[in-house]
Each structure stands twice: as structure tokens, then as C-alpha cells.
């Protein structure tokens, strides 16, 4: 079992920045990939960014150049640095991990960007 605990969400003005954190704990053997998703009100949950165990990263076109995913292996933590935030980025952000043939989700953290 893997538990994912998120932090860092909040309210920010358009153009501002936030950094989300997702700390993994529990029976961690290997986390193959960690991802961030987001879900805006009335919308589908969409993929935002991912980082593999090897450190490769990728992000959705909607956030490319503004959001950066990174990790701290010693802390089993993945981060999402969000810069140049737009009101369209307002959503609940979810951390995701794939480990041991299972998938795990964080509880979600609210990010609100005011115009």
C-alpha cells in the first residue's frame, strides 16, 4: 500500500506561482511513475504532468512552459511548480502514483487562480 499526501494548494492571483507537493509513504517497493492530474468544476479529470523513476518528464500542452514537475527521491516526494498561473488552471489537483501493479491517488488539493 502506498499513501499519497498532497500540500501546497491555495489561492493565487493570475500570473502568480504555487508549488504543490505530494509525499508518498507506506509499503513502497518501486514507484514507476508519478503524475499530476487536475479536475475543474464540471470537467473531466485531465493529466497535467508526469515524471518516471528514471527522471524523464512530460507535461500537457496546456501547461507546457509554465508548470514543471520534479522529485526528491530521498523524501519520496514529487512537486509541481506552477508559474504564470491562469484562471483556467483553477481545479482540484490530484497526485497519482503507479507502483507494484497498482495505482494510487492522493486526496486532491484545491488551486484557485483569481483573475
Amino acid at each position: 500500500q502506498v499513501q499519497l499526501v498532497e500540500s501546497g494548494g491555495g489561492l493565487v492571483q493570475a500570473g502568480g506561482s504555487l508549488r504543490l507537493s505530494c509525499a508518498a509513504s507506506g509499503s513502497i517497493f518501486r514507484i514507476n511513475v508519478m503524475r499530476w492530474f487536475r479536475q475543474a468544476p464540471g470537467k473531466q479529470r485531465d493529466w497535467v504532468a508526469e515524471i518516471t523513476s528514471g527522471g524523464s518528464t512530460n507535461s500537457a500542452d496546456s501547461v507546457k512552459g509554465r508548470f514543471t514537475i520534479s522529485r526528491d527521491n530521498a523524501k519520496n516526494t514529487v512537486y509541481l511548480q506552477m508559474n504564470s498561473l491562469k484562471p483556467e488552471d483553477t481545479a482540484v489537483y490530484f497526485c497519482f502514483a503507479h507502483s507494484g501493479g497498482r495505482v494510487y491517488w492522493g486526496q486532491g488539493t484545491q488551486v484557485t487562480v483569481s483573475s
Side-chain angles (χ1 to χ4, degrees):
Q1 292 288 329
V2 175
Q3 293 80 45
L4 304 176
V5 179
E6 300 160 322
S7 61
L11 175 65
V12 66
Q13 292 182 323
S17 299
L18 283 174
R19 189 178 75 160
L20 306 184
S21 300
C22 174
S25 62
S27 300
I28 302 172
F29 175 71
R30 179 181 178 86
I31 297 178
N32 298 307
V33 63
M34 298 192 74
R35 298 186 174 104
W36 287 98
F37 290 78
R38 67 185 182 185
Q39 188 168 21
K43 298 294 185 69
Q44 182 178 330
R45 186 174 298 184
D46 293 325
W47 169 74
V48 175
E50 64 184 12
I51 185 166
T52 70
S53 59
S56 298
T57 63
N58 198 11
S59 61
D61 289 342
S62 59
V63 306
K64 194 163 294 183
R66 300 187 298 119
F67 292 10
T68 302
I69 189 169
S70 62
R71 69 184 186 190
D72 185 332
N73 290 334
K75 297 180 179 179
N76 290 319
T77 299
V78 65
Y79 304 96
L80 186 67
Q81 179 66 47
M82 305 185 295
N83 298 326
S84 301
L85 282 162
K86 305 174 181 179
E88 305 93 276
D89 297 318
T90 295
V92 177
Y93 283 71
F94 297 91
C95 183
F96 167 98
H98 180 267
S99 178
R102 295 179 179 269
V103 298
Y104 302 89
W105 291 93
Q107 79 285 353
T109 185
Q110 178 69 48
V111 172
T112 302
V113 184
S114 62
S115 60

